Amino acid sequence: MATTPETGSGKKLNRIGLEAQPYRGGKTTLCAGCGHNAISERIIDAFFEMGIHPKDVIKLSGIGCSSKSPAYFLGDAHGFNSVHGRMPSVGTGALLANRKMLAIGISGDGDTGAIGIGQFVHMMRRNVPIVYIIEDNGCYGLTKGQFSPTADVGSTLKNGVVNDLPPIDTCMLAIQLGASFVARSFSGDKKQLLSILKASLAHRGTAMIDVISPCVTFNDHEGSTKSYAYAKAHDEILGDVNFVPFFEDISVEYDPGTTTAVSMHDGSTLYLKKVAADYNPTDKLAAMRLLHETAQRGEFATGIFYVEPDKDDLITQLNIVDEPLATLPLDRVRPGRDVLDAVMEEHR
Ligand SMILES: Cc1ncc(C[n+]2csc(CCOP(=O)(O)OP(=O)(O)O)c2C)c(N)n1
Ligand code: SF4
Ligand SMILES: [Mg+2]
């Protein structure tokens, strides 16, 4: 990051003058080595480096080991640990009540792909302004490692049971449904995950990020396609993700033949190295073809697949007032006698 002045004690300050401490959360109770812990660390880094005040953030989750994660970052933010698979509706309601909040939702592959799939689908098609992260370990970690809907065909449980149901590709689904920023990363790839997270914080609309996040206790053995070893060997990185936030005055020299520059809503710029000369991250079909082709080869692609920075989010589509509904005074939210009388008159 560009400006890191120091406090008297030598601690770095971010662009809004805060130390890293307010960006941290409670001590994790997840297993040592769990991919979810690495993701929390990157979230802390991303919010610190972007200089977003924790008090302006709402953290949301469902149920699962992954959904416990918001307790481990941004201790001063607002939070709502909801019911299994129901975070999208709680998040949508929270954002409608207060459009000024920046929302980050943490879900699991079970929380999203199984019990929560209906809610997930509607959140994506509405382009709700939220950073929606799936901590994807291919299993239900909290309930001792059963297959989840993102488990690949042929992947095995620890006891040798083979999964023979096809997986849901949450990125493919999100693109098809209307999410305006869709990416995949790996909890073990610090640099890529941090860049993607920072870019997602600059986006307005649904930023859906599926992060392969191995469960060291129940799904890290040979035969699992969501283990650390498998992820390292099969991660097909799309090319560098270089995010330049609006507050960093850096001019990047790039070759338009090999790199696509995407202007984000807040004035930041995203430079995406092209996978192929004709790859365009604003082309839905190209993104879906890429996901399909990599999956066919038994690989998984990581990077930002699709971005549509100018698409209206739900709040804009609904054309609600600028001030948060939650704090509007009563005389503005309660219709007067004359308005009620006019409504009654219409139904006579
Ligand atoms: C209504 C309801 N049904 C089932 C459960 C049991 N349950 C708790 S967590 C979970 C799955 C969690 O899997 P995932 O979302 O992938 O999170 P992980 O633990 O793997 O991070 C299930 C089925 C529950 N808590 N509530
Ligand atoms: S059981 Fe698996 S997912 Fe849950 S905390 Fe442990 S390693 Fe992580
Ligand atoms: Mg899981």
PDB file of all heavy atoms in Angstrom, residues 138-139 144-148 151-165 218-226:
ATOM      1  N   GLY A 138     -15.678 -28.438   0.189  1.00  0.00           N
ATOM      2  CA  GLY A 138     -16.289 -29.646  -0.384  1.00  0.00           C
ATOM      3  C   GLY A 138     -16.946 -30.551   0.638  1.00  0.00           C
ATOM      4  O   GLY A 138     -17.282 -31.707   0.326  1.00  0.00           O
ATOM      5  N   CYS A 139     -17.125 -30.065   1.859  1.00  0.00           N
ATOM      6  CA  CYS A 139     -17.743 -30.911   2.882  1.00  0.00           C
ATOM      7  C   CYS A 139     -18.440 -30.060   3.945  1.00  0.00           C
ATOM      8  O   CYS A 139     -18.274 -28.845   3.974  1.00  0.00           O
ATOM      9  CB  CYS A 139     -16.700 -31.816   3.545  1.00  0.00           C
ATOM     10  SG  CYS A 139     -15.546 -30.933   4.638  1.00  0.00           S
ATOM     11  N   LYS A 144     -18.884 -32.891  10.813  1.00  0.00           N
ATOM     12  CA  LYS A 144     -17.927 -34.000  10.698  1.00  0.00           C
ATOM     13  C   LYS A 144     -17.666 -34.538   9.293  1.00  0.00           C
ATOM     14  O   LYS A 144     -17.391 -35.714   9.095  1.00  0.00           O
ATOM     15  CB  LYS A 144     -18.293 -35.141  11.656  1.00  0.00           C
ATOM     16  CG  LYS A 144     -18.291 -34.717  13.121  1.00  0.00           C
ATOM     17  CD  LYS A 144     -18.145 -35.894  14.045  1.00  0.00           C
ATOM     18  CE  LYS A 144     -18.158 -35.489  15.501  1.00  0.00           C
ATOM     19  NZ  LYS A 144     -17.109 -34.543  15.867  1.00  0.00           N
ATOM     20  N   GLY A 145     -17.774 -33.654   8.297  1.00  0.00           N
ATOM     21  CA  GLY A 145     -17.149 -33.948   7.002  1.00  0.00           C
ATOM     22  C   GLY A 145     -17.951 -34.667   5.934  1.00  0.00           C
ATOM     23  O   GLY A 145     -17.354 -35.195   4.988  1.00  0.00           O
ATOM     24  N   GLN A 146     -19.296 -34.679   6.014  1.00  0.00           N
ATOM     25  CA  GLN A 146     -20.073 -35.297   4.927  1.00  0.00           C
ATOM     26  C   GLN A 146     -19.866 -34.523   3.624  1.00  0.00           C
ATOM     27  O   GLN A 146     -19.540 -33.351   3.650  1.00  0.00           O
ATOM     28  CB  GLN A 146     -21.588 -35.280   5.270  1.00  0.00           C
ATOM     29  CG  GLN A 146     -21.971 -35.948   6.574  1.00  0.00           C
ATOM     30  CD  GLN A 146     -21.853 -35.020   7.787  1.00  0.00           C
ATOM     31  OE1 GLN A 146     -21.238 -33.959   7.755  1.00  0.00           O
ATOM     32  NE2 GLN A 146     -22.438 -35.462   8.886  1.00  0.00           N
ATOM     33  N   PHE A 147     -20.104 -35.180   2.475  1.00  0.00           N
ATOM     34  CA  PHE A 147     -19.969 -34.475   1.188  1.00  0.00           C
ATOM     35  C   PHE A 147     -20.948 -33.311   1.120  1.00  0.00           C
ATOM     36  O   PHE A 147     -22.093 -33.420   1.556  1.00  0.00           O
ATOM     37  CB  PHE A 147     -20.321 -35.414   0.017  1.00  0.00           C
ATOM     38  CG  PHE A 147     -19.275 -36.435  -0.278  1.00  0.00           C
ATOM     39  CD1 PHE A 147     -19.620 -37.780  -0.360  1.00  0.00           C
ATOM     40  CD2 PHE A 147     -17.958 -36.065  -0.500  1.00  0.00           C
ATOM     41  CE1 PHE A 147     -18.667 -38.730  -0.645  1.00  0.00           C
ATOM     42  CE2 PHE A 147     -16.996 -37.020  -0.792  1.00  0.00           C
ATOM     43  CZ  PHE A 147     -17.352 -38.353  -0.861  1.00  0.00           C
ATOM     44  N   SER A 148     -20.499 -32.221   0.522  1.00  0.00           N
ATOM     45  CA  SER A 148     -21.391 -31.087   0.255  1.00  0.00           C
ATOM     46  C   SER A 148     -21.668 -31.059  -1.256  1.00  0.00           C
ATOM     47  O   SER A 148     -21.054 -31.810  -2.010  1.00  0.00           O
ATOM     48  CB  SER A 148     -20.713 -29.783   0.673  1.00  0.00           C
ATOM     49  OG  SER A 148     -19.816 -29.381  -0.354  1.00  0.00           O
ATOM     50  N   ALA A 151     -18.678 -31.036  -3.800  1.00  0.00           N
ATOM     51  CA  ALA A 151     -17.711 -32.143  -3.880  1.00  0.00           C
ATOM     52  C   ALA A 151     -17.693 -32.688  -5.312  1.00  0.00           C
ATOM     53  O   ALA A 151     -18.747 -32.838  -5.939  1.00  0.00           O
ATOM     54  CB  ALA A 151     -18.112 -33.237  -2.895  1.00  0.00           C
ATOM     55  N   ASP A 152     -16.510 -32.964  -5.820  1.00  0.00           N
ATOM     56  CA  ASP A 152     -16.385 -33.441  -7.202  1.00  0.00           C
ATOM     57  C   ASP A 152     -16.736 -34.919  -7.320  1.00  0.00           C
ATOM     58  O   ASP A 152     -16.564 -35.690  -6.368  1.00  0.00           O
ATOM     59  CB  ASP A 152     -14.939 -33.237  -7.691  1.00  0.00           C
ATOM     60  CG  ASP A 152     -14.597 -31.768  -7.805  1.00  0.00           C
ATOM     61  OD1 ASP A 152     -15.313 -31.058  -8.549  1.00  0.00           O
ATOM     62  OD2 ASP A 152     -13.637 -31.322  -7.142  1.00  0.00           O
ATOM     63  N   VAL A 153     -17.159 -35.319  -8.511  1.00  0.00           N
ATOM     64  CA  VAL A 153     -17.404 -36.736  -8.770  1.00  0.00           C
ATOM     65  C   VAL A 153     -16.086 -37.489  -8.583  1.00  0.00           C
ATOM     66  O   VAL A 153     -15.048 -37.047  -9.073  1.00  0.00           O
ATOM     67  CB  VAL A 153     -17.908 -36.952 -10.226  1.00  0.00           C
ATOM     68  CG1 VAL A 153     -18.048 -38.441 -10.537  1.00  0.00           C
ATOM     69  CG2 VAL A 153     -19.210 -36.224 -10.462  1.00  0.00           C
ATOM     70  N   GLY A 154     -16.117 -38.583  -7.841  1.00  0.00           N
ATOM     71  CA  GLY A 154     -14.911 -39.391  -7.650  1.00  0.00           C
ATOM     72  C   GLY A 154     -14.110 -39.010  -6.421  1.00  0.00           C
ATOM     73  O   GLY A 154     -13.207 -39.729  -6.010  1.00  0.00           O
ATOM     74  N   SER A 155     -14.438 -37.858  -5.811  1.00  0.00           N
ATOM     75  CA  SER A 155     -13.722 -37.473  -4.589  1.00  0.00           C
ATOM     76  C   SER A 155     -14.147 -38.437  -3.472  1.00  0.00           C
ATOM     77  O   SER A 155     -15.285 -38.906  -3.452  1.00  0.00           O
ATOM     78  CB  SER A 155     -14.102 -36.026  -4.229  1.00  0.00           C
ATOM     79  OG  SER A 155     -13.238 -35.539  -3.233  1.00  0.00           O
ATOM     80  N   THR A 156     -13.222 -38.734  -2.550  1.00  0.00           N
ATOM     81  CA  THR A 156     -13.563 -39.715  -1.509  1.00  0.00           C
ATOM     82  C   THR A 156     -13.614 -39.078  -0.119  1.00  0.00           C
ATOM     83  O   THR A 156     -12.918 -38.086   0.142  1.00  0.00           O
ATOM     84  CB  THR A 156     -12.517 -40.859  -1.463  1.00  0.00           C
ATOM     85  OG1 THR A 156     -11.244 -40.272  -1.203  1.00  0.00           O
ATOM     86  CG2 THR A 156     -12.495 -41.654  -2.737  1.00  0.00           C
ATOM     87  N   LEU A 157     -14.420 -39.678   0.736  1.00  0.00           N
ATOM     88  CA  LEU A 157     -14.388 -39.316   2.158  1.00  0.00           C
ATOM     89  C   LEU A 157     -13.194 -40.027   2.788  1.00  0.00           C
ATOM     90  O   LEU A 157     -12.602 -40.913   2.192  1.00  0.00           O
ATOM     91  CB  LEU A 157     -15.665 -39.788   2.861  1.00  0.00           C
ATOM     92  CG  LEU A 157     -16.992 -39.088   2.548  1.00  0.00           C
ATOM     93  CD1 LEU A 157     -18.113 -39.722   3.376  1.00  0.00           C
ATOM     94  CD2 LEU A 157     -16.913 -37.606   2.856  1.00  0.00           C
ATOM     95  N   LYS A 158     -12.906 -39.682   4.036  1.00  0.00           N
ATOM     96  CA  LYS A 158     -11.786 -40.321   4.735  1.00  0.00           C
ATOM     97  C   LYS A 158     -11.952 -41.841   4.824  1.00  0.00           C
ATOM     98  O   LYS A 158     -10.996 -42.586   4.770  1.00  0.00           O
ATOM     99  CB  LYS A 158     -11.727 -39.764   6.164  1.00  0.00           C
ATOM    100  CG  LYS A 158     -10.654 -38.729   6.378  1.00  0.00           C
ATOM    101  CD  LYS A 158     -10.698 -38.311   7.827  1.00  0.00           C
ATOM    102  CE  LYS A 158      -9.411 -37.681   8.248  1.00  0.00           C
ATOM    103  NZ  LYS A 158      -9.459 -37.230   9.632  1.00  0.00           N
ATOM    104  N   ASN A 159     -13.226 -42.274   4.966  1.00  0.00           N
ATOM    105  CA  ASN A 159     -13.469 -43.712   5.104  1.00  0.00           C
ATOM    106  C   ASN A 159     -13.566 -44.427   3.757  1.00  0.00           C
ATOM    107  O   ASN A 159     -13.961 -45.587   3.680  1.00  0.00           O
ATOM    108  CB  ASN A 159     -14.742 -43.952   5.923  1.00  0.00           C
ATOM    109  CG  ASN A 159     -15.977 -43.382   5.246  1.00  0.00           C
ATOM    110  OD1 ASN A 159     -15.908 -42.934   4.097  1.00  0.00           O
ATOM    111  ND2 ASN A 159     -17.102 -43.386   5.936  1.00  0.00           N
ATOM    112  N   GLY A 160     -13.259 -43.725   2.659  1.00  0.00           N
ATOM    113  CA  GLY A 160     -13.216 -44.358   1.337  1.00  0.00           C
ATOM    114  C   GLY A 160     -14.492 -44.228   0.525  1.00  0.00           C
ATOM    115  O   GLY A 160     -14.500 -44.570  -0.657  1.00  0.00           O
ATOM    116  N   VAL A 161     -15.584 -43.743   1.130  1.00  0.00           N
ATOM    117  CA  VAL A 161     -16.837 -43.597   0.368  1.00  0.00           C
ATOM    118  C   VAL A 161     -16.612 -42.616  -0.787  1.00  0.00           C
ATOM    119  O   VAL A 161     -15.997 -41.560  -0.607  1.00  0.00           O
ATOM    120  CB  VAL A 161     -17.984 -43.092   1.286  1.00  0.00           C
ATOM    121  CG1 VAL A 161     -19.238 -42.764   0.482  1.00  0.00           C
ATOM    122  CG2 VAL A 161     -18.293 -44.127   2.359  1.00  0.00           C
ATOM    123  N   VAL A 162     -17.090 -43.016  -1.982  1.00  0.00           N
ATOM    124  CA  VAL A 162     -16.860 -42.199  -3.183  1.00  0.00           C
ATOM    125  C   VAL A 162     -18.092 -41.344  -3.486  1.00  0.00           C
ATOM    126  O   VAL A 162     -19.220 -41.834  -3.415  1.00  0.00           O
ATOM    127  CB  VAL A 162     -16.553 -43.116  -4.401  1.00  0.00           C
ATOM    128  CG1 VAL A 162     -16.304 -42.288  -5.660  1.00  0.00           C
ATOM    129  CG2 VAL A 162     -15.365 -44.027  -4.106  1.00  0.00           C
ATOM    130  N   ASN A 163     -17.862 -40.088  -3.859  1.00  0.00           N
ATOM    131  CA  ASN A 163     -18.984 -39.217  -4.255  1.00  0.00           C
ATOM    132  C   ASN A 163     -19.288 -39.440  -5.732  1.00  0.00           C
ATOM    133  O   ASN A 163     -18.411 -39.307  -6.574  1.00  0.00           O
ATOM    134  CB  ASN A 163     -18.601 -37.749  -4.038  1.00  0.00           C
ATOM    135  CG  ASN A 163     -19.690 -36.817  -4.539  1.00  0.00           C
ATOM    136  OD1 ASN A 163     -20.871 -37.043  -4.269  1.00  0.00           O
ATOM    137  ND2 ASN A 163     -19.313 -35.808  -5.277  1.00  0.00           N
ATOM    138  N   ASP A 164     -20.536 -39.783  -6.037  1.00  0.00           N
ATOM    139  CA  ASP A 164     -20.846 -39.968  -7.463  1.00  0.00           C
ATOM    140  C   ASP A 164     -21.891 -38.992  -7.978  1.00  0.00           C
ATOM    141  O   ASP A 164     -22.437 -39.164  -9.048  1.00  0.00           O
ATOM    142  CB  ASP A 164     -21.227 -41.420  -7.779  1.00  0.00           C
ATOM    143  CG  ASP A 164     -22.120 -42.041  -6.743  1.00  0.00           C
ATOM    144  OD1 ASP A 164     -22.871 -41.257  -6.104  1.00  0.00           O
ATOM    145  OD2 ASP A 164     -22.075 -43.257  -6.549  1.00  0.00           O
ATOM    146  N   LEU A 165     -22.134 -37.922  -7.226  1.00  0.00           N
ATOM    147  CA  LEU A 165     -23.058 -36.888  -7.710  1.00  0.00           C
ATOM    148  C   LEU A 165     -22.274 -35.714  -8.293  1.00  0.00           C
ATOM    149  O   LEU A 165     -21.232 -35.333  -7.754  1.00  0.00           O
ATOM    150  CB  LEU A 165     -23.936 -36.382  -6.561  1.00  0.00           C
ATOM    151  CG  LEU A 165     -25.019 -37.325  -6.071  1.00  0.00           C
ATOM    152  CD1 LEU A 165     -25.683 -36.760  -4.828  1.00  0.00           C
ATOM    153  CD2 LEU A 165     -26.048 -37.573  -7.164  1.00  0.00           C
ATOM    154  N   PHE A 218     -11.274 -33.103   8.136  1.00  0.00           N
ATOM    155  CA  PHE A 218     -12.126 -34.115   7.496  1.00  0.00           C
ATOM    156  C   PHE A 218     -11.930 -34.278   5.988  1.00  0.00           C
ATOM    157  O   PHE A 218     -12.497 -35.196   5.398  1.00  0.00           O
ATOM    158  CB  PHE A 218     -13.612 -33.796   7.762  1.00  0.00           C
ATOM    159  CG  PHE A 218     -13.976 -33.847   9.209  1.00  0.00           C
ATOM    160  CD1 PHE A 218     -14.307 -32.693   9.899  1.00  0.00           C
ATOM    161  CD2 PHE A 218     -13.969 -35.063   9.904  1.00  0.00           C
ATOM    162  CE1 PHE A 218     -14.645 -32.732  11.244  1.00  0.00           C
ATOM    163  CE2 PHE A 218     -14.296 -35.116  11.245  1.00  0.00           C
ATOM    164  CZ  PHE A 218     -14.626 -33.951  11.933  1.00  0.00           C
ATOM    165  N   ASN A 219     -11.204 -33.370   5.329  1.00  0.00           N
ATOM    166  CA  ASN A 219     -11.172 -33.486   3.864  1.00  0.00           C
ATOM    167  C   ASN A 219      -9.816 -33.076   3.278  1.00  0.00           C
ATOM    168  O   ASN A 219      -9.764 -32.355   2.286  1.00  0.00           O
ATOM    169  CB  ASN A 219     -12.300 -32.624   3.261  1.00  0.00           C
ATOM    170  CG  ASN A 219     -12.743 -33.138   1.900  1.00  0.00           C
ATOM    171  OD1 ASN A 219     -12.342 -34.226   1.463  1.00  0.00           O
ATOM    172  ND2 ASN A 219     -13.562 -32.355   1.207  1.00  0.00           N
ATOM    173  N   ASP A 220      -8.738 -33.596   3.884  1.00  0.00           N
ATOM    174  CA  ASP A 220      -7.407 -33.201   3.400  1.00  0.00           C
ATOM    175  C   ASP A 220      -6.568 -34.433   3.044  1.00  0.00           C
ATOM    176  O   ASP A 220      -5.353 -34.379   3.019  1.00  0.00           O
ATOM    177  CB  ASP A 220      -6.702 -32.363   4.491  1.00  0.00           C
ATOM    178  CG  ASP A 220      -5.542 -31.540   3.926  1.00  0.00           C
ATOM    179  OD1 ASP A 220      -5.627 -31.132   2.759  1.00  0.00           O
ATOM    180  OD2 ASP A 220      -4.554 -31.327   4.663  1.00  0.00           O
ATOM    181  N   HIS A 221      -7.240 -35.543   2.788  1.00  0.00           N
ATOM    182  CA  HIS A 221      -6.537 -36.809   2.529  1.00  0.00           C
ATOM    183  C   HIS A 221      -6.346 -37.032   1.029  1.00  0.00           C
ATOM    184  O   HIS A 221      -6.954 -36.334   0.198  1.00  0.00           O
ATOM    185  CB  HIS A 221      -7.361 -37.967   3.121  1.00  0.00           C
ATOM    186  CG  HIS A 221      -8.812 -37.855   2.746  1.00  0.00           C
ATOM    187  ND1 HIS A 221      -9.712 -37.120   3.489  1.00  0.00           N
ATOM    188  CD2 HIS A 221      -9.509 -38.329   1.690  1.00  0.00           C
ATOM    189  CE1 HIS A 221     -10.907 -37.160   2.910  1.00  0.00           C
ATOM    190  NE2 HIS A 221     -10.801 -37.881   1.816  1.00  0.00           N
ATOM    191  N   GLU A 222      -5.560 -38.046   0.680  1.00  0.00           N
ATOM    192  CA  GLU A 222      -5.407 -38.406  -0.720  1.00  0.00           C
ATOM    193  C   GLU A 222      -6.748 -38.931  -1.215  1.00  0.00           C
ATOM    194  O   GLU A 222      -7.405 -39.713  -0.524  1.00  0.00           O
ATOM    195  CB  GLU A 222      -4.338 -39.505  -0.834  1.00  0.00           C
ATOM    196  CG  GLU A 222      -3.711 -39.507  -2.190  1.00  0.00           C
ATOM    197  CD  GLU A 222      -2.706 -40.626  -2.339  1.00  0.00           C
ATOM    198  OE1 GLU A 222      -1.981 -40.910  -1.367  1.00  0.00           O
ATOM    199  OE2 GLU A 222      -2.676 -41.201  -3.446  1.00  0.00           O
ATOM    200  N   GLY A 223      -7.160 -38.506  -2.388  1.00  0.00           N
ATOM    201  CA  GLY A 223      -8.481 -38.937  -2.888  1.00  0.00           C
ATOM    202  C   GLY A 223      -9.490 -37.813  -2.797  1.00  0.00           C
ATOM    203  O   GLY A 223     -10.510 -37.830  -3.474  1.00  0.00           O
ATOM    204  N   SER A 224      -9.207 -36.802  -1.964  1.00  0.00           N
ATOM    205  CA  SER A 224     -10.089 -35.632  -1.884  1.00  0.00           C
ATOM    206  C   SER A 224      -9.639 -34.609  -2.925  1.00  0.00           C
ATOM    207  O   SER A 224      -8.440 -34.355  -3.067  1.00  0.00           O
ATOM    208  CB  SER A 224      -9.996 -35.008  -0.491  1.00  0.00           C
ATOM    209  OG  SER A 224     -10.432 -33.659  -0.552  1.00  0.00           O
ATOM    210  N   THR A 225     -10.592 -34.004  -3.623  1.00  0.00           N
ATOM    211  CA  THR A 225     -10.216 -32.965  -4.605  1.00  0.00           C
ATOM    212  C   THR A 225     -10.291 -31.563  -3.991  1.00  0.00           C
ATOM    213  O   THR A 225     -10.206 -30.568  -4.696  1.00  0.00           O
ATOM    214  CB  THR A 225     -11.124 -33.018  -5.853  1.00  0.00           C
ATOM    215  OG1 THR A 225     -12.468 -32.785  -5.442  1.00  0.00           O
ATOM    216  CG2 THR A 225     -11.030 -34.346  -6.576  1.00  0.00           C
ATOM    217  N   LYS A 226     -10.442 -31.506  -2.640  1.00  0.00           N
ATOM    218  CA  LYS A 226     -10.396 -30.188  -1.986  1.00  0.00           C
ATOM    219  C   LYS A 226      -9.293 -30.166  -0.922  1.00  0.00           C
ATOM    220  O   LYS A 226      -9.343 -29.389   0.013  1.00  0.00           O
ATOM    221  CB  LYS A 226     -11.758 -29.869  -1.320  1.00  0.00           C
ATOM    222  CG  LYS A 226     -12.930 -29.700  -2.298  1.00  0.00           C
ATOM    223  CD  LYS A 226     -12.932 -28.347  -2.991  1.00  0.00           C
ATOM    224  CE  LYS A 226     -14.242 -28.020  -3.662  1.00  0.00           C
ATOM    225  NZ  LYS A 226     -14.431 -28.703  -4.966  1.00  0.00           N
TER     226      LYS A 226
END
